[in-house]
Amino acid sequence: MSDPTVTHGNFTIVRHYKASPAKAFDAFRDPAKKRRWFAESTGFHVDSFDMDFRVGGTERACFRFVADKPIEEGTPCINDTVYMDIVEDARIVNAYTMTVGEARISSSLATVEFLPDGTGSKLIFTEQAAFFAGGDGIEMRRQGWEDLIERLARFLEGTL
């Protein structure tokens, strides 16, 4: 019997922000703002970042690994996204694939929910992923998103 070529996994991250749901949502909607916390602050070299934030629209981020990452320096990483559902100030659902070097390593469905929480907001991020042979796997992906969501917090606080 052969080993499966796809591993499935999912996770949810919940984070509270002092910012309103509208302000947190805007950090995902506005290309300059998202580029700042999602692409530029990651420690990767950013080759390009383009997005068309609408249902059916796409986002493409092209990075290169730097010396302190677990992949050889200069290796390209591409994140291709399609926006599946958008509810203003409340929800974003997208499907995305990640490619490292010449290999597609995963395809995912990600949901970001923005809920009022006192004077701030609660962000609920859920990802359902298919990791292909040689892919990063659920634990590395979760850690990557925890880091991104922390960078978003710093961005919303004005410290990033």
Side-chain angles (χ1 to χ4, degrees), residues 123-146:
L123 180 142
I124 304 170
F125 177 89
T126 303
E127 180 161 342
Q128 300 161 300
F131 297 98
F132 311 134
D136 53 343
I138 197 72
E139 292 307 317
M140 279 184 77
R141 183 64 56 85
R142 180 185 179 96
Q143 183 60 55
W145 271 106
E146 286 177 350

Side-chain angles (χ1 to χ4, degrees), residues 10-106:
N10 63 70
F11 61 90
T12 298
I13 301 169
V14 177
R15 177 67 193 251
H16 299 270
Y17 297 113
K18 293 178 183 176
S20 69
K23 185 173 180 181
F25 183 92
D26 190 54
F28 281 81
R29 171 188 32 220
D30 182 291
K33 291 176 182 176
K34 187 166 185 189
R35 180 184 174 115
R36 177 74 183 122
W37 69 266
F38 181 79
E40 293 176 352
S41 68
T42 59
F44 292 89
H45 172 75
V46 180
D47 290 331
S48 63
F49 180 82
D50 300 295
M51 66 183 280
D52 176 14
F53 188 77
R54 61 181 175 82
V55 174
T58 61
E59 176 181 307
R60 184 166 230 230
C62 299
F63 307 88
R64 292 198 179 273
F65 285 88
V66 294
D68 66 339
K69 300 294 181 190
I71 306 287
E72 182 179 340
E73 184 173 4
T75 301
C77 179
I78 299 172
N79 182 342
D80 284 309
T81 300
V82 176
Y83 292 101
M84 310 302 286
D85 183 60
I86 299 171
V87 176
E88 188 76 15
D89 298 339
R91 180 177 67 234
I92 302 167
V93 179
N94 66 59
Y96 75 96
T97 60
M98 288 188 70
T99 304
V100 174
E102 298 296 317
R104 181 167 290 144
I105 64 166
S106 67

